[in-house]
Amino acid sequence: MDAVTEMLDELRQLRVRVPHLTGTLVASTDGFVLAQDTFGVEPEGLAALTAAALGVAHRVADATSCGEFRELLLHGAQGYVATYAAGRSAVLTLLADDRVNAGRLHLEGRRSGARIAELIGQHGRLDAAAVRRSPPSRAPGPTTADTDAGTAAAREPLPVRRPTPR
């Protein structure tokens, strides 16, 4: 099984484990879609916005000396956007409506980030040829026993990219 197929399976299982998720996306840290399970949201645009938010998060973390990026949470009037590190080269972004249990969202988001980091590590860094558009799916995946194995991989700091001077 290829990395994208395994990531899609993880995203589908995540939807089963977290009620009220409305979308999931795995993107490279530079804003390219690796896998997605979204409906009503442009995945390429969300991936690009996630990369931009990640850049700002890195700068805020640097300015406040709070350490390396691990996660970012936006809570709006209609719901949540949560982004989690998935190793050094990818991020997991979750969309949820306002009824979601935020603690469960964090717990499962961190676990899935770790799993995605493992998959990328097993298959090597994904290049454009390995990435394909993935249609939205609401089909629940098989339930699995959740473990904390690999959580440390998701918490690896992401590299900070500094803007180049003009």
Side-chain angles (χ1 to χ4, degrees):
M1 194 180 303
D2 69 358
V4 174
T5 302
E6 290 183 70
M7 281 191 276
L8 285 171
D9 185 50
E10 179 62 30
L11 297 180
R12 290 179 188 117
Q13 290 178 35
L14 182 59
R15 279 190 181 262
V16 170
R17 295 189 311 261
V18 182
H20 307 294
L21 274 184
T22 59
T24 58
L25 171 88
V26 179
S28 65
T29 55
D30 48 358
F32 293 101
V33 175
L34 301 177
Q36 58 94 13
D37 182 13
T38 60
F39 180 75
V41 175
E42 168 58 35
E44 287 82 8
L46 180 58
L49 288 170
T50 297
L54 185 60
V56 171
H58 280 293
R59 295 196 62 182
V60 170
D62 286 346
T64 59
S65 301
C66 72
E68 297 294 332
F69 173 81
R70 295 210 174 137
E71 57 196 49
L72 180 64
L73 178 69
L74 181 145
H75 183 195
Q78 304 294 316
Y80 293 85
V81 178
T83 299
Y84 302 92
R88 299 185 64 83
S89 62
V91 291
L92 169 66
T93 296
L94 306 178
L95 309 175
D97 69 34
D98 200 40
R99 297 173 295 166
V100 75
N101 178 321
R104 183 70 182 212
L105 180 72
H106 280 313
L107 175 69
E108 297 297 345
R110 291 169 186 150
R111 286 180 177 171
S112 288
R115 177 67 181 134
I116 289 164
E118 288 174 6
L119 293 171
I120 291 171
Q122 290 170 3
H123 294 278
R125 187 174 176 105
L126 299 177
D127 59 14
V131 177
R132 62 187 157 116
R133 287 196 67 136
S134 49
S137 171
R138 297 290 186 265
T143 57
T144 59
D146 295 323
T147 67
D148 286 331
T151 300
R155 294 181 177 250
E156 287 181 31
L158 295 173
V160 175
R161 287 187 309 274
R162 308 264 184 228
T164 56
R166 293 182 187 215

